Amino acid sequence: SVGLHSFVYNFGVRPVELRWTKGGEELSTELQPGDSAYVAPLVDHSFSVSGTDVPPEPGSASSVADGFHKVEHPGAARLFVVRVPGSLTGETLGEFSTFSETGRM
């Protein structure tokens, strides 16, 4: 998680899964090409794609590392993420980190 507002835009040709945690519950949604999303500050989140739904184009480079299939071609997933600071300063985040985790949102 980061203390910044995150604005996400999927400008690729593949869907991307956005996962986040809210109140201890794991949630997810699929961002289709052209979709956008907003992630609030301090929300744990991650992105993933399936390496098997779009085959590499002929002549493209691909490699397997650590069990993940990396596809490098024009059909690869592409996200544009902009993170913007809000009113959460370093001092505010430092103080917030001292609060008990019980009752946090």
Side-chain angles (χ1 to χ4, degrees):
S1 69
V2 295
L4 303 170
H5 299 270
S6 298
F7 298 90
V8 182
Y9 176 69
N10 181 355
F11 70 98
V13 295
R14 299 177 66 182
V16 175
E17 182 180 29
L18 167 60
R19 289 181 293 210
W20 71 96
T21 305
K22 181 178 180 182
E25 182 182 2
E26 296 283 330
L27 302 167
S28 68
T29 190
E30 192 170 78
L31 298 175
Q32 294 294 325
D35 285 353
S36 61
Y38 165 77
V39 182
L42 304 177
V43 173
D44 288 330
H45 62 282
S46 63
F47 303 99
S48 66
V49 294
S50 170
T52 60
D53 59 346
V54 176
E57 293 179 356
S60 66
S62 64
S63 62
V64 177
D66 300 326
F68 294 99
H69 184 68
K70 181 180 177 187
V71 179
E72 298 170 347
H73 63 85
R78 296 177 186 270
L79 295 177
F80 183 70
V81 180
V82 176
R83 292 193 168 138
V84 180
S87 59
L88 292 175
T89 64
E91 291 175 351
T92 304
L93 290 171
E95 185 173 339
F96 184 66
S97 69
T98 65
F99 294 174
S100 169
E101 289 194 31
T102 306
R104 280 191 189 177
M105 296 181 91

